[in-house]
């Protein structure tokens, strides 16, 4: 998909999406991975674009503008923001994992006290 897009081969790019009933192809990891989509009623009109910093922050569960400024108040470049977001963990996932760990530990402590 990405290769066809970079080479501007329209037919190969459109064929890489598959049919609407097929599973969506996984995009390979790179510095900046484009987001690809198409409408089911218009499979020829697929599109590849990059997520904005705001969209990336939302996907990670962060407030908008969370990565916009550094600790000293200076504005952070977009590439550095993407890198920081790519090296982080999504907050909803971390909350879920930590809640499971808490429940497991709390359950074990209660069991020990009753034995």
């Amino acid at each position: 998909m990405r290769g066809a897009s970079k080479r501007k081969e329209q037919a190969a790019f459109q064929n890489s999406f598959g049919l609407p009933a097929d599973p969506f192809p996984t995009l390979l990891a790179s510095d900046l991975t484009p987001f690809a989509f198409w409408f089911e009623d218009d499979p020829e009109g697929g599109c590849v674009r990059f997520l904005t910093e705001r969209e990336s922050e939302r996907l990670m569960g962060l407030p908008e503008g969370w990565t916009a400024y550094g600790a000293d108040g200076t504005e952070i470049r977009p590439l550095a923001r993407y890198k920081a977001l790519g090296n982080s963990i999504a907050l909803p996932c971390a909350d879920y994992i930590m809640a499971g760990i808490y429940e497991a530990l709390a359950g074990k402590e209660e069991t020990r006290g009753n034995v």
Side-chain angles (χ1 to χ4, degrees):
M1 175 188 298
R2 285 184 12 215
S5 176
K6 287 180 181 178
R7 293 187 302 273
K8 301 197 184 302
E9 297 174 0
Q10 184 175 0
F13 173 74
Q14 289 176 342
N15 290 336
S16 67
F17 286 103
L19 300 173
D22 293 341
F24 196 77
T26 304
L27 297 174
L28 301 174
S30 68
D31 290 337
L32 294 175
T33 303
F35 175 75
F37 70 95
W38 78 95
F39 297 106
E40 289 190 24
D41 58 340
D42 184 21
E44 298 294 320
C47 160
V48 172
R49 68 176 185 85
F50 292 101
L51 295 174
T52 65
E53 298 93 345
R54 179 181 293 171
E55 290 170 326
S56 299
E57 288 170 339
R58 288 178 181 171
L59 286 172
M60 298 303 286
L62 298 169
E64 292 180 13
W66 184 260
T67 60
Y69 298 97
D72 58 355
T74 59
E75 192 169 347
I76 297 175
R77 296 175 310 175
L79 186 59
R81 291 176 69 183
Y82 285 120
K83 187 173 182 180
L85 289 164
N87 289 330
S88 63
I89 183 171
L91 291 180
C93 294
D95 287 342
Y96 179 80
I97 291 168
M98 297 308 286
I101 292 171
Y102 174 78
E103 288 175 9
L105 293 175
K108 287 183 181 179
E109 289 177 8
E110 291 174 8
T111 306
R112 286 185 195 167
N114 294 335
V115 173

